[in-house]
Every structure is written in C-alpha cells, then in structure tokens.
Amino acid sequence: MGTNEKIATTALGTGGPEVGVQGLGCMGMSFAYGPTDETEARATLERALELGVTLFDTADIYAFGRNEEFIAPFVKANRDRITLATKYAIVRREDDPLYQAIRNDRAYIRESVEGSLRRLGVERIDLYYMHRRNVEVPLEESIGAMAELVAEGKVAHLGLSEVTGAELRQAHAIHPIAAVQSEWSLFSRDIERHVVPTAAELGVALVPYSPLGRGFLTGSFVHADTELTTDDWRRTQPRFTGANAAANAELLAPVRAIAEAHGASLAQIALAWVQQRAQAHGLAVVPIPGTRKRSRLEENTAATRITLTEDELASLEPIAAKVSGDRYPDMTFTSAGRE
C-alpha cells in the first residue's frame, strides 16, 4: 500500500471542524506503553501532518500533564493546521498508584481547562472532552460548565468519552456535542447497541480509541505479561494475559487471511474495518490509533484506502462476540454498566 498519499477528510460532527478521517492518539508518546524515543515521536507528529492527519488527541491525565507539554511545541508550530483535542475528569496521584477518582463538577472543570491551556500553550482548545462520567454530578452542571468555556472562547467544540446513548442525548440537548470517544474495534463493539445509533441520529462523530485493540490486533504480541516491558500498562489488561490472551490470539485467523489477500498488515485490516463503520452506520468515524513511529503511522494511514468486501466483512463479524476478558480490570471505569 502507498504511504505518501494524503488521507481524505470528514466533518467532525454537525458543525464540527474538517479533519483527516484518521487522527493520532498521542498518549503512548509519554505514557502507558513503555519507553519512548522522543526524537522519533516528534518526527511522527510532523509526518502525521504531512499525511493529512489533523486531529491530535491527548488528555490532562496522560503522564500527569506531561503528554500535553510534550506535544505543545508541535502545536505551537502548526496551530492553524491542526485540530487539538484534550480531556478532563480523571484524577490520579503520582504518589499513590491505586488512587483514582472522576470529577465533573464546575469548579474542577474550570481548574482543568486552565491547566490544559497553560501546558499546551494555546488560547483555545479545539475539542474538549469529558474523559469519564461521574453520575453523581448532573449533566446540567458539567455540560453547562463546558458550554460556558465555549462562550468564553476557551473551547471551540465539546466531546464526551465513554458515555451511554442516553447520556449523549441528554448532553446534546444542553449543548451540541461534536464527538464521542469510545473504544471501538474488531474486539470491542458494545457501543453499536445504543451509542452509535444515537450519535448517527444527532449528527455526532465517533472517535474510536484503541482501534487496534491496544496493539493486540496487529499480532505484535500475544501474552502481555511475558512479552511487554514491566512498565507497560497492558500487562494489567484481562484480554492480554493468561488464558484469555491465548484464546484471543486465535481469533486473529480471519484478519490474517484477509491481510494476506490484500497484501496488507493485520493492523491495516483492523483499521480498515473501523474506517468502514462510517458507511455501515451513517456517521463520521475518525479513529485515533496511537503510535510513536513514522513507519507505523504510514502503515495506519494507508489503511484508509483499503476497502473490505462484503464477504470479508462477514468473516470478521463474529470476532467480537468471542473475545475473552473485559476491556479493563475494573469495568466501572467505562459506560458498559450504565447502558
């Protein structure tokens, strides 16, 4: 597949910005997936822009703000060419790895946005997400506070992450929501029941995170607990360890067969499937695979030009229902239990 062609564009929700049909998740450049070559990671950011990737995704919690700081020079140099997304809501402590909270209250939102603006070195965030929902805080308060940021010019568009279809509908009635970010891949399809049809009805874009199953769908590893470095967060994920990992690896057989038929990689087939969800469900879909290497980035963007046949799609259809293990060790951290 060619690696120098620019990707197509799409509107990020009704009234949202025009972006490349594939974005770039920046989290792994400084958080969660082991050691990073910073020089190569910065070169990857530049290469992404050359290839038409314009949506760059981070969050205040990634490396406790350091991921925002890491991409800040790139953002400053290319401010008018990119759509910058970041998130608030997850609270952790560097001195207590077990601590985790979710805050959606107005005071915290205002504190968070000021911190992100400062670390990113910008006056306005293009897409500001509620990273997780705290159900004890009414959406009227949290979305109302986010709407105030739009009115003040500190944020251009609003997004939600890991919400239910009903929460999306309620939030959208308070202030237009441009995008919903949730896990969506050949291994994770639960959002298709409620969130995706609601988003399609409302004109909200879907931004799939982990479209490559945190790398598992690429075939690059099977047993996270023995193949990945000790500081790699995937070693804690039920799907990638023990008997679950071995069972899930066997599910890649049809992906591998289709990849061989296309002269493509497993990653490209997995991404092509996600990209084609736009046509399957009638809404904008902008996955944000994360990578720190230019070679992987070129491989990923080339996947936007692969079209899977109906027969190929049919052979991939059963995979998600057969996956062993949850997406997270603690699924209360997701919207799954609220649907």
Side-chain angles (χ1 to χ4, degrees):
M1 311 302 296
T3 58
N4 286 305
E5 185 179 339
K6 278 198 171 188
I7 62 175
T9 63
T10 189
L12 196 66
T14 303
E18 192 80 7
V19 298
V21 295
Q22 188 180 111
L24 180 62
C26 300
M27 179 182 78
M29 292 182 173
S30 47
F31 179 67
Y33 293 154
T36 294
D37 178 338
E38 290 195 4
T39 300
E40 178 62 18
R42 293 193 184 284
T44 300
L45 291 169
E46 298 290 346
R47 183 63 173 143
L49 199 53
E50 292 174 358
L51 292 173
V53 173
T54 57
L55 177 63
F56 293 84
D57 184 272
T58 183
D60 61 2
I61 195 57
Y62 297 162
F64 301 96
R66 291 189 289 276
N67 192 242
E68 289 180 324
E69 293 172 347
F70 178 82
I71 69 170
F74 169 75
V75 171
K76 181 178 181 180
N78 301 284
R79 188 65 193 98
D80 296 336
R81 302 172 61 197
I82 69 174
T83 297
L84 176 63
T86 193
K87 317 176 195 72
Y88 78 90
I90 300 174
V91 185
R92 292 195 178 113
R93 295 172 179 164
E94 286 197 79
D95 61 354
D96 182 1
L98 298 180
Y99 180 84
Q100 180 171 281
I102 299 173
R103 289 188 61 180
N104 293 168
D105 57 281
R106 175 176 270 103
Y108 184 75
I109 291 170
R110 300 200 70 88
E111 174 189 335
S112 296
V113 77
E114 294 300 336
S116 287
L117 289 168
R118 181 181 67 254
R119 287 186 294 271
L120 290 163
V122 298
E123 295 182 355
R124 185 176 73 169
I125 295 162
D126 300 316
L127 178 59
Y128 198 44
Y129 287 102
M130 177 194 292
H131 205 165
R132 289 295 188 275
R133 170 93 201 280
N134 182 333
V135 296
E136 296 179 2
V137 180
L139 284 171
E140 288 79 7
E141 176 178 347
S142 52
I143 303 302
M146 294 171 74
E148 291 171 5
L149 302 179
V150 175
E152 294 167 12
K154 294 178 179 179
V155 170
H157 303 280
L158 303 185
L160 302 171
S161 179
E162 287 283 351
V163 293
T164 67
E167 289 166 347
L168 169 58
R169 188 179 299 279
Q170 185 183 350
H172 192 72
I174 299 168
H175 186 281
I177 302 299
V180 169
Q181 184 174 139
S182 286
E183 187 165 356
W184 200 6
S185 73
L186 284 169
F187 269 24
S188 301
R189 299 181 59 179
D190 51 302
I191 65 167
E192 293 176 21
R193 289 194 295 273
H194 302 294
V195 178
V196 170
T198 302
E201 176 192 338
L202 299 175
V204 176
L206 249 295
V207 178
Y209 72 80
S210 299
L212 294 173
R214 306 191 190 283
F216 193 87
L217 285 165
T218 70
S220 60
F221 73 95
V222 174
H223 296 281
D225 41 0
T226 59
E227 296 178 50
L228 302 180
T229 57
T230 55
D231 58 349
D232 195 306
W233 176 71
R234 290 171 291 185
R235 290 165 62 100
T236 69
Q237 303 304 289
R239 289 184 173 178
F240 311 140
T241 54
N244 287 341
N248 290 336
E250 294 183 5
L251 299 178
L252 298 181
V255 185
R256 190 169 284 110
I258 295 169
E260 291 174 2
H262 282 266
S265 67
L266 274 71
Q268 288 176 321
I269 299 307
L271 279 173
W273 181 89
V274 176
Q275 301 280 176
Q276 281 182 241
R277 298 306 87 198
Q279 290 74 43
H281 296 279
L283 77 170
V285 176
V286 184
I288 49 168
T291 185
R292 301 170 285 191
K293 297 179 180 179
R294 283 169 289 181
S295 59
R296 292 297 187 195
L297 176 89
E298 291 167 355
E299 178 182 334
N300 291 347
T301 55
T304 66
R305 296 182 287 278
I306 297 174
T307 300
L308 303 177
T309 67
E310 290 301 318
D311 286 346
E312 289 169 339
L313 291 170
S315 73
L316 298 172
E317 187 66 24
I319 292 175
K322 298 177 181 178
V323 172
S324 299
D326 285 333
R327 295 194 284 130
Y328 288 91
D330 178 6
M331 285 297 286
T332 62
F333 192 57
T334 74
S335 59
R338 302 197 304 272
E339 282 287 12

